[in-house]
Amino acid sequence: MLVAMARKTANDDLLAPLTLAVGQEELLLDRAVQEVVAAARASDADTDVRDLTPDQLQPGTLAELTSPSLFAERKVVVVRNAQDLSADTIKDVRAYLGAPAEEITLVLLHAGGAKGKGLLDAARKAGAREVACPKMTKPADRLAFVRGEFRAVGRSATPEACQALVDSIGSDLRELASAVSQLVADVEGTIDEAVVGRYYTGRAEASSFTVADRAVEGRAAEALEALRWSLATGVAPVMITSALAQGVRAIGKLSSARGGRPADLARELGMPPWKIDRVRQQMRGWTPDGVADALRAVAEADAGVKGGGDDPEYALEKAVVAIARAARSRGRG
């Protein structure tokens, strides 16, 4: 689903020379990028996509990426965390905004706020198509998000079901979006509170996968919190090691697979398309060595949980920390 709950400017041409996505809600920022990439590839299947972080965009890099191509190919250049660009690189971006290249769409992701405000103002002055991606801190906003997810795919869910989903899943929009996708894929007809209850409310599997998701995303503190909650509510340690193993293996499978559409990768890897999208987001920061280290950590935890150690909880905590560290292995040298 590429529908972002965000305010857009009147200029809503997805292939406009410049798209500015402003805010700190990662799911909405990623969807803003996905919308542009999908539109570009619909126009030209061979569109070249470059997705860059500030450390990858050195002075002169933008000029190289946007220089005329011999083959006049369409290109999408994504710059994440634009507020963190160096002063020299910001000069390059501002210069580019004055004379954007044909067949190139520049997507700037900016957190908003005072840092990098000059670049933000310059992009707006240049007539950027703007997508607002604010953090959803209020329960009412998250409830509206869930309703919008169901509407976007033409499915009906009762108000009680939407509320139950928010109550069960919590504040993470990725979790909520994935839950909606799973329900839509698995359930026919109207989705009601009873269906949500069968899938999520109090299910050990749900809490186990929350631990795994937070760990493979490198969010150690949140993963440990979820782990302690799961154990306190009676989730079997073996279920948690299983979820951790599945999470790490999914990262490894997708990172070694050929690029392609989620539907194609889903067939190749035996995962549902919604999970392909989810794992793609979780892959950032992972390296092959990181995957290997994480798999070893899971194996050690599994041995500890199944009788090879005196403290299964400590074995799980150790594995969660190791996986979260592996998820941030890229760039550590």
Side-chain angles (χ1 to χ4, degrees):
M1 279 177 284
L2 298 179
V3 178
M5 281 190 54
R7 174 183 56 80
K8 300 177 183 178
T9 59
N11 173 17
D12 204 22
D13 177 9
L14 289 167
L15 297 182
L18 174 63
T19 285
L20 178 63
V22 183
Q24 298 180 42
E25 187 57 71
E26 290 189 7
L27 175 65
L28 300 185
L29 290 167
D30 286 335
R31 286 185 173 184
V33 172
Q34 292 168 23
E35 284 185 326
V36 172
V37 171
R41 286 184 168 155
S43 175
D44 180 353
D46 295 324
T47 294
D48 181 19
V49 178
R50 303 297 178 91
D51 197 325
L52 306 169
T53 54
D55 61 303
Q56 295 172 312
L57 197 64
Q58 302 299 321
T61 303
L62 184 63
E64 293 176 13
L65 290 174
T66 57
S67 60
S69 168
L70 180 63
F71 303 103
E73 65 181 352
R74 180 173 289 282
K75 186 178 294 185
V76 176
V77 178
V78 180
V79 179
R80 296 181 182 273
N81 299 312
Q83 73 278 356
D84 295 331
L85 292 172
S86 69
D88 287 340
T89 303
I90 286 176
K91 289 180 183 177
D92 288 352
V93 175
R94 295 182 72 158
Y96 175 79
L97 296 180
E102 291 186 14
E103 299 298 310
I104 291 179
T105 297
L106 177 63
V107 184
L108 296 179
L109 275 56
H110 195 293
K115 188 177 183 182
K117 189 173 185 299
L119 178 58
L120 194 60
D121 292 342
R124 286 168 171 160
K125 188 175 180 181
R129 166 186 175 266
E130 185 169 343
V131 183
C133 306
K135 268 288 187 189
M136 291 190 182
T137 57
K138 298 179 181 178
D141 291 339
R142 295 192 287 272
L143 184 58
F145 172 81
V146 168
R147 290 171 177 162
E149 292 290 284
F150 282 116
R151 282 197 302 270
V153 292
R155 292 296 300 274
S156 176
T158 66
E160 294 79 12
C162 294
Q163 185 64 61
L165 201 56
V166 172
D167 292 343
S168 299
I169 302 297
S171 61
D172 190 298
L173 289 200
R174 290 194 193 284
E175 289 278 345
L176 289 168
S178 293
V180 170
S181 296
Q182 185 171 28
L183 288 169
V184 166
D186 291 355
V187 179
E188 295 183 359
T190 299
I191 295 166
D192 59 19
E193 186 176 9
V195 169
V196 174
R198 287 200 301 273
Y199 269 73
Y200 295 103
T201 304
R203 282 188 60 179
E205 294 90 340
S207 58
S208 299
F209 285 113
T210 297
V211 176
D213 286 338
R214 296 297 82 78
V216 300
E217 290 162 5
R219 295 153 66 175
E222 294 177 44
L224 288 171
E225 181 180 358
L227 171 64
R228 288 161 190 153
W229 182 89
S230 297
L231 293 171
T233 55
V235 177
V238 68
M239 293 186 68
I240 298 174
T241 55
S242 175
L244 291 171
Q246 288 184 50
V248 175
R249 288 189 192 117
I251 297 286
K253 282 183 180 180
L254 192 55
S255 62
S256 61
R258 300 186 303 274
R261 297 178 304 169
D264 296 331
L265 287 170
R267 286 191 293 271
E268 179 183 341
L269 302 179
M271 299 181 193
W274 65 265
K275 188 169 184 179
I276 296 291
D277 288 334
R278 183 192 190 113
V279 176
R280 271 180 168 164
Q281 302 306 324
Q282 295 173 332
M283 278 170 51
R284 293 198 193 109
W286 281 92
T287 64
D289 286 343
V291 172
D293 291 343
L295 287 173
R296 280 194 292 272
V298 171
E300 290 174 6
D302 190 57
V305 162
K306 293 178 178 176
D310 296 327
D311 191 342
E313 293 186 18
Y314 173 73
L316 286 169
E317 289 184 0
K318 185 178 177 183
V320 163
V321 171
I323 292 167
R325 185 182 299 119
R328 293 290 176 258
S329 57
R330 189 182 301 280
R332 288 211 314 265

